[in-house]
Amino acid sequence: MDPTDAAHVLQTPEEYAEFLSDMPFEKRVEMLNAFRCAELQGAEELRVLAETTDDPDLAAKFSRHAADEEKHGAYFAEIMRRLGVEPFEPSDEPDHITIGGKLIVDTLNDIEEILPKRGETVGLDRIIPILTLFQAVESRALVSFEAHRRTFERADPVIAERIGEIIADESHHARYVRTLLDRWAEEGWAEHVRAAREATEAREARAREWAAERLEAERMRERGELPASCARTSGGR
């Protein structure tokens, strides 16, 4: 069964942690490495946002946020080394089974597509859609990270504690972004916020549909009702 797809379908850390407990070590390491890469990609995108916003206060917030994400990338590298594995470059064409969450990766890639270019100066009309996508990433990461933390509580309390530190930061990020979006909605940007949230919710719904199709195909394959290759390609997204 596909752990990345399960991360879309299993909505609580308890469910997800139970699922992870049976995952092979190699897959767990690949997911941790994917989290490392995602944190570093998010940090770079936030650095660009800090350099291009026309609001100095926002620039400072985004710079602090980026620093946290860079720290998290280092933490995941530290965790991997504690498990006896060096961080590695992911495949150019990764299988979403091993990248720690299709929604997280796809959303970060979507952010990259609409991110301002260095040298631009942008206002809230450009920033709101990006922050809304970041909020989706943080929310998904909180579920995934908490599930991983729980599976390490007995196996390695040091790793569990380190992931707990990451979770505390991510919780703060989700709160401050939500506060900004709510405030802007009250200050005349309600339509922009509403449109961005609706678009993000639609993306997550499509991801869940994709995940459910993949999981059902995998179950059918396990029952001998579908060839293995079909289970991999089902959903087509």
Side-chain angles (χ1 to χ4, degrees):
M1 189 179 293
D2 184 328
T4 295
D5 295 345
H8 293 302
V9 176
L10 305 179
Q11 293 304 294
T12 68
E14 293 84 359
E15 291 175 312
Y16 193 11
E18 182 179 355
F19 186 87
L20 290 173
S21 64
D22 294 327
M23 188 182 300
F25 174 78
E26 293 78 8
K27 292 298 182 187
R28 290 294 299 276
V29 167
E30 288 172 345
M31 293 183 79
L32 292 169
N33 189 64
F35 292 152
R36 179 186 69 84
C37 295
E39 295 283 0
L40 295 177
Q41 181 178 347
E44 175 62 17
E45 292 170 349
L46 285 159
R47 291 288 183 198
V48 173
L49 209 56
E51 293 175 19
T52 55
T53 177
D54 61 4
D55 184 327
D57 290 337
L58 283 180
K61 284 183 170 65
F62 297 154
S63 293
R64 289 193 296 270
H65 191 163
D68 282 345
E69 304 295 14
E70 289 165 352
K71 177 179 68 176
H72 298 166
Y75 282 176
F76 279 116
E78 172 189 306
I79 289 168
M80 291 176 67
R81 292 188 177 101
R82 185 173 175 84
L83 293 171
V85 181
E86 281 296 313
F88 53 89
E89 287 299 314
S91 168
D92 289 336
E93 298 181 359
D95 187 323
H96 287 304
I97 288 175
T98 64
I99 60 178
K102 182 178 188 297
L103 183 63
I104 293 174
V105 173
D106 285 356
T107 302
L108 286 170
N109 290 338
D110 285 348
I111 290 171
E112 189 169 330
E113 289 181 4
I114 64 174
L115 201 65
K117 298 291 187 289
R118 284 189 162 95
E120 285 188 85
T121 301
V122 300
L124 291 184
D125 59 319
R126 297 282 298 279
I127 289 172
I128 285 172
I130 295 170
L131 278 196
T132 304
L133 290 171
F134 265 117
Q135 189 177 36
V137 170
E138 302 287 0
S139 297
R140 174 55 57 191
L142 284 169
V143 174
S144 298
F145 294 172
E146 174 60 14
H148 282 267
R149 188 195 67 78
R150 293 183 185 206
T151 63
F152 280 114
E153 277 184 315
R154 291 185 179 178
D156 194 322
V158 173
I159 291 178
E161 182 176 356
R162 185 61 94 193
I163 296 176
E165 294 174 18
I166 296 172
I167 289 170
D169 287 342
E170 301 292 14
S171 297
H172 167 69
H173 300 158
R175 285 194 301 271
Y176 99 78
V177 170
R178 186 182 308 112
T179 297
L180 285 175
L181 292 172
D182 289 346
R183 190 185 80 199
W184 293 334
E186 295 174 356
E187 294 177 349
W189 294 90
E191 181 59 27
H192 285 76
V193 173
R194 182 196 61 76
R197 283 174 167 165
E198 287 182 356
T200 300
E201 289 168 3
R203 288 187 68 265
E204 179 143 5
R206 289 193 297 271
R208 292 186 194 288
E209 180 184 358
W210 180 89
E213 290 174 1
R214 285 284 298 273
L215 282 172
E216 180 57 26
E218 182 66 19
R219 293 188 185 104
M220 291 176 68
R221 185 193 65 78
E222 290 174 350
R223 296 194 299 264
E225 301 171 7
L226 193 70
S229 59
C230 293
R232 283 288 189 190
T233 59
S234 178
R237 287 186 285 275

